[in-house]
């Protein structure tokens, strides 16, 4: 049914190694990508293209459902009715994005249950940023503005990529994220231009999130393992450094114009190269966090495990065939 089949237990370290496949098929596949055609689920595709897409889309899906948690904890404490309504809607949207992405990954042959199991066992990664706590309302504001902005930079670029179901999911997600960004920006400007205490609380949150945001786009191009092949296949439409640079280009001015700044004296744009320079963001911390040793990794997975267990009866009820004998007598 599928070209190069799904190999569930293959060592992830081998993901970038070539698999012997028909050179003519490989050449035709690359030609289709180069012509800008979309690859659809039943088209032939190299086994590694399938495997890499599953890895990336699955990690993205996990990031959405785990990403709902730091903000979700603030629904009961959001300041005021309007902020609460917006936050509830945003958290619901993030879970919806997870569903869209799991569905896109399923088209490549990996069952959703297996993806969830791999998340819960710690086998699959999810975005580094969601392993940090949302200490104050200002942290939620920074997530809503700057994390959503960072996600949009990445997703908007990759929505023009080669795999049809992922691109279509990303288009829909970007439309909703654009609204999240607006509410995040509104909350950010409100705190930045509010009382001295509100301004200070926001600056403290930006200080906490600066490094995780720099990490968000992945290791530098020199250290990135998958970028080269994924860009050739138009799964990634720009390198990690280029995406990070684009984000800094767009959002450093927006942060500074309301009197807030990132806590890095070396964060400056080089007028000659057009690239942003910044201090070493402590890549050791990044690798520790994505290995499962960040401040909130254990807490995040514990909540997901709890949700999985508590929701089991619902999934079982939905999977039970409807028959007359299951209908209670009046
Ligand atoms: N976090 O070779 P590369 C959101 C891993 S959605 C954790 O450069 P790649 C919405 C990488 O997996 C946020 N791990 O990797 C929202 C690899 O390890 P592996 C998620 C990371 O794939 C907003 C290793 O490092 N977005 O925020 C990270 O070419 C607000 C080597 O790295 C996506 O997932 C990281 N940040 O590039 C929700 C977008 N970076 O797998 C709620 C799709 C790298 O070999 C509230 N994904 N690693 O063991 C991508 O674009 C890419 O996967 C990158 C990484 C750019 C994230």
């Amino acid at each position: 049914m599928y070209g190069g089949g799904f190999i569930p237990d293959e060592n992830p370290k081998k993901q970038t190694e070539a698999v012997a496949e028909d050179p003519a098929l490989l050449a035709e596949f690359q030609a289709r990508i180069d012509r800008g055609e979309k690859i659809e689920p039943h088209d032939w595709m190299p086994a590694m293209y399938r495997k890499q897409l599953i890895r990336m889309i699955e990690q993205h899906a996990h990031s959405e459902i785990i990403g709902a948690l730091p903000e979700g904890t603030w629904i009961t404490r959001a300041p005021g009715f309007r902020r609460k309504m917006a936050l509830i809607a945003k958290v619901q949207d993030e879970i919806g994005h997870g569903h869209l992405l799991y569905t896109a990954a399923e088209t490549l042959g990996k069952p959703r249950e297996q993806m969830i199991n791999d998340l819960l066992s710690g086998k699959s990664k999810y975005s580094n940023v969601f392993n940090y706590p949302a200490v104050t309302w200002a942290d939620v504001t920074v997530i809503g503005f700057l994390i959503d902005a960072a996600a949009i930079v990445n997703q908007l670029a990759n929505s023009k990529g080669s795999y049809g179901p992922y691109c279509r999911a990303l288009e829909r997600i970007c439309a909703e994220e654009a609204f999240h960004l607006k509410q995040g920006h509104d909350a950010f400007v409100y705190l930045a231009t509010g009382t001295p205490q509100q301004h200070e609380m926001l600056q403290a949150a930006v200080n906490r999130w600066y490094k995780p945001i720099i990490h968000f786009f992945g290791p530098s191009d020199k250290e990135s393992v998958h970028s080269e092949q994924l860009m050739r296949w138009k799964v990634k439409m720009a390198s990690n450094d280029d995406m990070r640079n684009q984000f800094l280009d767009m959002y450093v001015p927006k942060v500074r114009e309301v009197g807030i700044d990132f806590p890095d004296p070396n964060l400056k744009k080089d007028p000659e190269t057009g690239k942003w320079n910044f201090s070493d963001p402590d890549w050791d911390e990044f690798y520790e966090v994505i290995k499962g040793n960040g401040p909130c990794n254990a807490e995040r997975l514990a909540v997901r495990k709890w949700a999985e267990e508590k929701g089991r009866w619902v999934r079982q009820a939905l999977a039970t065939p409807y028959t007359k004998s299951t209908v209670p007598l009046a």
Side-chain angles (χ1 to χ4, degrees):
M1 176 170 62
Y2 298 108
F6 169 59
I7 319 152
D9 289 319
E10 194 183 334
N11 179 352
K13 294 276 176 271
K14 292 185 183 164
Q15 282 173 5
T16 49
E17 289 174 15
V19 172
E21 280 171 311
D22 183 343
L25 284 174
L26 284 172
E28 173 50 22
F29 179 79
Q30 190 61 50
R32 288 190 64 193
I33 303 257
D34 295 344
R35 286 196 296 269
E37 288 177 27
K38 292 279 186 241
I39 307 299
E40 296 298 338
H42 293 283
D43 294 345
W44 186 88
M45 61 185 80
M48 280 309 146
Y49 177 85
R50 180 187 302 282
K51 189 145 186 71
Q52 281 282 8
L53 267 173
I54 292 173
R55 178 190 68 83
M56 210 172 106
I57 304 173
E58 179 182 352
Q59 285 182 8
H60 192 169
H62 297 331
S63 303
E64 299 281 355
I65 63 167
I66 295 275
L69 299 179
E71 290 174 294
T73 59
W74 275 90
I75 289 174
T76 53
R77 294 170 287 166
F81 186 58
R82 285 179 56 226
R83 293 275 184 235
K84 196 189 288 283
M85 282 202 304
L87 189 59
I88 291 172
K90 179 180 193 293
V91 167
Q92 278 181 339
D93 283 353
E94 307 297 1
I95 300 295
H97 298 169
H99 284 307
L100 281 173
L101 291 163
Y102 284 124
T103 306
E106 279 184 314
T107 64
L108 293 152
K110 183 166 181 179
R112 183 180 300 218
E113 200 179 6
Q114 203 175 331
M115 293 187 249
I116 298 289
N117 288 344
D118 287 349
L119 167 68
L120 298 182
S121 72
K123 189 175 166 195
S124 288
K125 292 189 168 65
Y126 57 88
S127 185
N128 69 299
V129 278
F130 302 119
N131 292 305
Y132 291 85
V135 182
T136 68
W137 171 251
D139 294 76
V140 178
T141 301
V142 172
I143 296 173
F145 180 35
L146 296 176
I147 302 290
D148 276 272
I152 291 176
V153 166
N154 169 293
Q155 290 164 177
L156 206 55
N158 291 344
S159 71
K160 311 282 183 300
S162 62
Y163 188 58
Y166 187 40
C167 296
R168 290 189 285 274
L170 288 180
E171 273 173 23
R172 162 88 185 264
I173 290 170
C174 283
E176 292 181 358
E177 297 278 23
F179 177 75
H180 299 172
L181 183 66
K182 283 198 170 70
Q183 68 85 33
H185 185 241
D186 180 69
F188 195 92
V189 173
Y190 185 87
L191 290 184
T193 58
T195 64
Q197 287 90 338
Q198 285 172 319
H199 187 95
E200 200 183 305
M201 181 171 77
L202 183 63
Q203 182 62 65
V206 168
N207 294 352
R208 282 192 283 279
W209 287 88
Y210 173 63
K211 273 196 294 180
I213 289 173
I214 294 287
H215 294 159
F216 178 89
F217 297 91
S220 74
D221 292 352
K222 273 194 232 132
E223 301 297 325
S224 171
V225 182
H226 307 293
S227 286
E228 204 182 319
Q229 181 61 68
L230 288 180
M231 286 170 67
R232 204 172 305 130
W233 278 331
K234 295 190 183 168
V235 171
K236 279 171 88 165
M237 297 300 280
S239 75
N240 298 355
D241 283 337
D242 284 349
M243 297 248 189
R244 194 169 8 249
N245 203 65
Q246 195 186 331
F247 167 80
L248 292 170
D249 242 356
M250 291 171 76
Y251 290 96
V252 173
K254 289 193 197 309
V255 166
R256 287 183 176 162
E257 80 187 0
V258 290
I260 298 287
D261 209 349
F262 290 112
D264 179 357
N266 295 318
L267 183 66
K268 288 189 185 97
K269 186 169 175 168
D270 181 334
E272 281 182 13
T273 61
K275 305 276 180 205
W276 285 82
N277 294 319
F278 45 82
S279 307
D280 175 5
D282 189 358
W283 288 108
D284 291 345
E285 175 177 320
F286 167 77
Y287 286 110
E288 277 305 305
V289 170
I290 68 171
K291 259 197 296 179
N293 303 324
C296 295
N297 297 62
E299 182 187 327
R300 300 285 182 249
L301 286 187
V303 174
R304 284 306 324 163
K305 280 181 192 151
W306 178 88
E308 195 62 15
E309 270 165 37
K310 295 289 170 196
R312 182 166 295 122
W313 71 270
V314 179
R315 293 191 303 280
Q316 280 170 351
L318 287 172
T320 305
Y322 176 86
T323 64
K324 274 192 178 161
S325 62
T326 60
V327 179
L329 296 174

